[in-house]
Amino acid sequence: MLITGTFLDEITADIPHQNWGEKEWDREFATMKMAGIDTVIMIRCGNQRFITYPSEYLMEKRGAYRPPLDLVDIFLRLADKYSIDFYFGLYDGGCMRKAWFVGSLMSEVDDCKFVAEEVWKRYGHHKSFKGWYLNHEIGIGDGELYILDERTEYDRIIGNFVKEISGGLPTIISPYISGSKAQANPLDITAHDKLWNRVLSTLQGAVDIVAFQDGHCEYDELEDYIKVNKALADKYGMTSWTNCESFDRDMPIRFLPIKWEKMRLKLEAAEKTGIEKAITFEFSHFMSPHSMYSSAHGLFDRYMEYREEVLKRS
Amino acid sequence: MLITGTFLDEITADIPHQNWGEKEWDREFATMKMAGIDTVIMIRCGNQRFITYPSEYLMEKRGAYRPPLDLVDIFLRLADKYSIDFYFGLYDGGCMRKAWFVGSLMSEVDDCKFVAEEVWKRYGHHKSFKGWYLNHEIGIGDGELYILDERTEYDRIIGNFVKEISGGLPTIISPYISGSKAQANPLDITAHDKLWNRVLSTLQGAVDIVAFQDGHCEYDELEDYIKVNKALADKYGMTSWTNCESFDRDMPIRFLPIKWEKMRLKLEAAEKTGIEKAITFEFSHFMSPHSMYSSAHGLFDRYMEYREEVLKRS
Amino acid sequence: MLITGTFLDEITADIPHQNWGEKEWDREFATMKMAGIDTVIMIRCGNQRFITYPSEYLMEKRGAYRPPLDLVDIFLRLADKYSIDFYFGLYDGGCMRKAWFVGSLMSEVDDCKFVAEEVWKRYGHHKSFKGWYLNHEIGIGDGELYILDERTEYDRIIGNFVKEISGGLPTIISPYISGSKAQANPLDITAHDKLWNRVLSTLQGAVDIVAFQDGHCEYDELEDYIKVNKALADKYGMTSWTNCESFDRDMPIRFLPIKWEKMRLKLEAAEKTGIEKAITFEFSHFMSPHSMYSSAHGLFDRYMEYREEVLKRS
């Protein structure tokens, strides 16, 4: 199982900025292509007042700052140039990062729809614009089912909306399981199955691709979780990817590149399940030879050796 | 508005050491010069037992360790060589970093005066020795006005003293505002105005340059704060600079280089106020092509592109 | 006093992975050799389920993951190649990292013995296999003497065992003092002397080399602690080394390379005591020109300049 997709972590929420311009992003796309990546997913187009493209709507209505670069334009031109599929991550109004109260997420629905329409009108013609990423990472971390239900409902509404305006382009979610490494409310396989049956049944038709994050359970429990994830996705007509995280959740500095051994264990677990595709969060900080973290350069070298082995085998 | 000054963060308090010797500092001064920097401010000449130059006084009286390099000598020779103005940051006895009690800061006055005299005698002949930096970063963060008053009084005494011994060389302070990002006691513009009127009226005559840190308020509130700061400084015959922080206060790893977009927003806010000069904390860790943090290299490239634009415009 | 030994921090517990393969380790051993290092100490051969070599025992009995590389094999071949002494760090079952209860460490004795036998059989023929490292870092940090006693007893049992199976190869421990920088229970010199007399008297015969960590006291207290350590070691027929830590315990990001000045202070303190050898935790992250942390490159340059001075003097 090889990594063929990655998030692009712009605008960042908690990952340090690399301060790249177009030249550096061009070099990065060339490297990704060379490493076998055919899919990029912009994690969000804006986080509260910081945005990736000059959205008249967000600048006027939400006090967003005018960005120095139009990253969406750059990413789409580079995706066109390198024949890489681009998925557009929607707007994050910050509700899930700040004080939470019931119903508050729904206040972001209109912003999210406006942004999607604005974006589709402006950038929808790019041949690499292949779909949408519903950017709230849902899960039962908060413990309360009614909160997860609200978030699911939000994704259902938005998923249906963006598909409708774009002629049915596919939508992705990347939720998290609550495995043994979850900070609260770890769910065993049976409880996980039951919970996500509830969520995915709601999302049927609104979500096309489910790419669970693979970092919240023990390495040897992962295969079982992915099997359940895939069975549920199959049941609701969805495609299953795995989001093979390339940062290390086990270390005190949060976050630095993962130990290659751990990433390989996770790829091998995924391979056994027949899942369709592996993406990663994310290449440019944690796996790239151009990352600000030098240990990412080592991870890149190890991964590329492994990739050669795998390609030779097949 | 361009960055034309920077702190030199030696001796460090909370920023990791880069372990540079004279050769590396020479390269750094050459880079700073090339980037348009005409002013460097050594943030402090000593922090408790670690000191930048072999001060007989501090080694004998305060158990300071003999430093392997005389950084003050190196910095002044390089400042002479590159025609850069050097401001000398005074001694930090550690009182503000350890247990605080009323009156304790005053116990450091004598050390600070002795050090200033020792330094002026030893290094005052350098043509680049242009002034003094009063190194305690004052503000109302602690919440108690009598504490801020004590710190202000300390700066008044020391500011007057160092001006007197050096034939009136100018003094700088770099206080912090308590804006909406302050951890405690955020002050609105009116309260900020009132507080700093009190502080700056006390410091009149003892302080020549006020360079508020720009990191504790929202990006779009900054312009208003700087306007108040400038009006107050004007009122008391002081010069206004802005300390445009080049590290990111919004990220979980404290601290890494700032996103260029944010720095540009802050420079543009400052530009609108007619403030005289922008300095940064600080070039060598957060903006330098030689920084230990690679994302600083990106910030440098983005800043230099911006600088070229600005210079072309004017 | 120069650094002539270093830990190899694989498998790591809290230090980020550099993701090096054999090529990178070969380059690293060459650099260490060039820098005067004649001794390497693998800090542990496994930490719970992550292991350095494919131990049939640990994979079968303890669910350890099959490692992608046999690091023990690589390290020993490189140690042979570069004529560097290798000490093997024993297995860490995780008891001291997880919930602690009286007697629990003893449950790891059998695993540790099995692993030692397996390793000796498989790798004992290497000419560079010079001894064993008892990997639990003991000290009174937890405050309770009966806990330290249990850990000491564990080391006594294991130390005797590994010496017996290997024809008496020497064993190392690297405990910590509880000096003024200890988080709890700082001990003054007299109390330190009394405590470690108790510990080392128990370990007589089971431990050959004691290399106290040097990071938990003030820089000017270190000489006195090392003198006590050396006197105690002499009394019980042990050899004294100092573990001169090359990471900085005084900074908020835990951990980055130490300021060279501090490392030099610690080496000079050790030099005055007549101690036999200085090792470091550890070269590859904190002092190496190949470290993921660029400030380690600066530390390497400063250290190498110092080394040249010292060699010239002698």
Side-chain angles (χ1 to χ4, degrees), chain C residues 3-225:
Chain C
I3 302 286
T4 56
T6 181
F7 283 94
L8 302 173
D9 188 37
E10 295 279 346
I11 296 298
T12 59
D14 55 5
I15 304 292
H17 312 287
Q18 306 207 82
N19 286 311
W20 288 351
E22 178 155 359
K23 197 179 64 180
E24 288 86 355
W25 279 113
D26 194 325
R27 179 187 64 180
E28 188 70 357
F29 270 68
T31 304
M32 293 192 294
K33 183 75 183 179
M34 181 266 284
I37 285 173
D38 58 27
T39 305
V40 293
I41 303 154
M42 191 177 70
I43 199 156
R44 60 187 74 81
C45 67
N47 179 8
Q48 301 169 71
R49 303 177 68 177
F50 285 96
I51 56 181
T52 49
Y53 73 99
S55 162
E56 300 309 326
Y57 177 81
L58 291 170
M59 290 191 288
E60 204 171 299
K61 301 283 188 192
R62 295 292 167 248
Y65 301 114
R66 180 175 294 277
L69 287 179
D70 183 339
L71 273 171
V72 175
D73 175 60
I74 292 176
F75 287 160
L76 280 163
R77 282 191 285 105
L78 292 173
D80 287 350
K81 173 176 174 184
Y82 291 103
S83 298
I84 289 177
D85 291 352
F86 178 87
Y87 288 78
F88 183 89
L90 290 156
Y91 179 63
D92 184 341
C95 157
M96 277 176 64
R97 299 178 191 283
K98 294 179 298 193
W100 169 264
F101 54 93
V102 180
S104 60
L105 187 56
M106 287 307 153
S107 70
E108 294 189 8
V109 162
D110 285 349
D111 282 352
C112 192
K113 287 183 173 178
F114 267 107
V115 165
E117 284 186 314
E118 185 181 53
V119 159
W120 182 248
K121 207 180 295 174
R122 201 183 296 188
Y123 305 104
H125 64 279
H126 280 277
K127 68 172 190 201
S128 60
F129 197 128
K130 293 292 189 190
W132 306 90
Y133 171 60
L134 308 181
N135 63 296
H136 290 127
E137 300 165 22
I138 60 177
I140 195 66
D142 312 86
E144 302 289 358
L145 199 51
Y146 68 89
I147 294 180
L148 176 56
D149 282 346
E150 183 179 345
R151 293 170 181 186
T152 306
E153 178 59 12
Y154 179 91
D155 276 0
R156 197 188 61 76
I157 294 170
I158 297 297
N160 281 324
F161 180 81
V162 294
K163 288 179 71 68
E164 200 186 298
I165 64 168
S166 64
L169 283 191
T171 54
I172 308 179
I173 58 170
S174 186
Y176 59 91
I177 63 171
S178 283
S180 54
K181 286 188 193 173
Q183 291 183 305
N185 305 300
L187 301 181
D188 64 20
I189 290 280
T190 313
H192 172 79
D193 192 357
K194 195 175 152 206
L195 180 78
W196 286 96
N197 186 56
R198 177 189 179 111
V199 174
L200 296 191
S201 72
T202 305
L203 293 177
Q204 189 168 23
V207 166
D208 298 286
I209 300 164
V210 183
F212 274 92
Q213 302 169 24
D214 73 351
H216 290 94
C217 65
E218 255 304 322
Y219 300 92
D220 63 350
E221 297 168 341
L222 182 60
E223 183 182 339
D224 288 344
Y225 279 103

Side-chain angles (χ1 to χ4, degrees), chain A residues 29-56:
Chain A
F29 271 67
T31 305
M32 293 192 296
K33 183 75 184 180
M34 180 265 285
I37 285 175
D38 57 28
T39 304
V40 294
I41 304 154
M42 191 176 70
I43 199 157
R44 60 188 74 81
C45 67
N47 179 8
Q48 301 170 69
R49 302 178 67 178
F50 286 96
I51 55 182
T52 49
Y53 74 98
S55 162
E56 299 309 325

Side-chain angles (χ1 to χ4, degrees), chain B residues 141-160:
Chain B
D142 312 86
E144 301 290 358
L145 199 52
Y146 68 88
I147 294 180
L148 177 56
D149 282 346
E150 183 179 345
R151 293 171 180 186
T152 305
E153 178 59 13
Y154 180 93
D155 276 1
R156 197 189 61 76
I157 295 170
I158 297 297
N160 282 324

Side-chain angles (χ1 to χ4, degrees), chain B residues 8-276:
Chain B
L8 301 173
D9 188 36
E10 294 280 348
I11 299 297
T12 60
D14 55 4
I15 304 292
H17 311 287
Q18 305 206 82
N19 287 311
W20 288 352
E22 178 156 357
K23 198 179 63 181
E24 288 85 356
W25 279 114
D26 194 325
R27 179 187 64 180
E28 189 70 358
F29 271 67
T31 305
M32 293 192 295
K33 183 75 184 179
M34 181 265 284
I37 285 175
D38 58 28
T39 305
V40 293
I41 303 154
M42 191 176 69
I43 198 155
R44 61 188 73 82
C45 68
N47 179 8
Q48 302 169 67
R49 302 177 69 177
F50 285 96
I51 56 182
T52 49
Y53 73 99
S55 162
E56 299 309 326
Y57 177 80
L58 291 170
M59 289 190 289
E60 205 171 298
K61 301 282 187 192
R62 296 292 167 249
Y65 301 113
R66 179 174 295 277
L69 287 179
D70 183 339
L71 273 172
V72 176
D73 175 61
I74 292 176
F75 287 160
L76 280 163
R77 282 191 286 105
L78 293 173
D80 288 350
K81 174 175 173 184
Y82 291 104
S83 299
I84 289 177
D85 291 351
F86 178 88
Y87 288 78
F88 183 89
L90 290 157
Y91 180 62
D92 184 342
C95 157
M96 277 176 63
R97 299 179 192 283
K98 294 179 298 195
W100 169 265
F101 54 92
V102 179
S104 59
L105 187 55
M106 288 305 154
S107 69
E108 293 189 8
V109 161
D110 285 349
D111 282 354
C112 192
K113 286 183 172 178
F114 267 106
V115 165
E117 284 185 315
E118 186 181 52
V119 159
W120 183 246
K121 206 181 295 172
R122 200 182 297 188
Y123 304 104
H125 63 279
H126 279 278
K127 69 172 189 200
S128 60
F129 197 127
K130 294 291 189 189
W132 306 90
Y133 171 60
L134 308 181
N135 62 296
H136 290 126
E137 299 164 25
I138 60 178
I140 195 68
D142 312 86
E144 301 290 358
L145 199 52
Y146 68 88
I147 294 180
L148 177 56
D149 282 346
E150 183 179 345
R151 293 171 180 186
T152 305
E153 178 59 13
Y154 180 93
D155 276 1
R156 197 189 61 76
I157 295 170
I158 297 297
N160 282 324
F161 180 81
V162 294
K163 289 179 70 69
E164 199 185 299
I165 64 167
S166 63
L169 283 190
T171 53
I172 308 180
I173 58 170
S174 186
Y176 58 92
I177 63 172
S178 283
S180 54
K181 287 188 192 174
Q183 292 182 305
N185 305 301
L187 302 181
D188 64 19
I189 290 281
T190 313
H192 173 80
D193 192 356
K194 194 174 152 205
L195 180 79
W196 286 97
N197 185 56
R198 177 190 179 111
V199 174
L200 295 191
S201 71
T202 305
L203 293 176
Q204 189 169 24
V207 165
D208 299 287
I209 301 163
V210 183
F212 274 91
Q213 300 168 24
D214 72 351
H216 290 95
C217 66
E218 254 304 323
Y219 300 91
D220 63 350
E221 296 167 341
L222 182 59
E223 183 183 338
D224 287 343
Y225 279 103
I226 298 182
K227 276 180 181 158
V228 169
N229 297 343
K230 179 159 174 24
L232 286 170
D234 287 351
K235 177 173 171 188
Y236 294 109
M238 298 168 180
T239 297
S240 290
W241 294 357
T242 184
N243 177 359
C244 183
E245 295 174 345
S246 40
F247 60 95
D248 205 314
R249 287 190 182 272
D250 309 333
M251 289 284 139
I253 299 183
R254 296 175 76 86
F255 295 106
L256 294 175
I258 199 170
K259 186 178 174 66
W260 161 241
E261 175 175 3
K262 295 178 183 174
M263 192 165 187
R264 208 185 71 159
L265 283 171
K266 298 193 297 180
L267 287 172
E268 289 173 350
E271 188 164 28
K272 289 182 200 150
T273 66
I275 207 165
E276 276 107 306

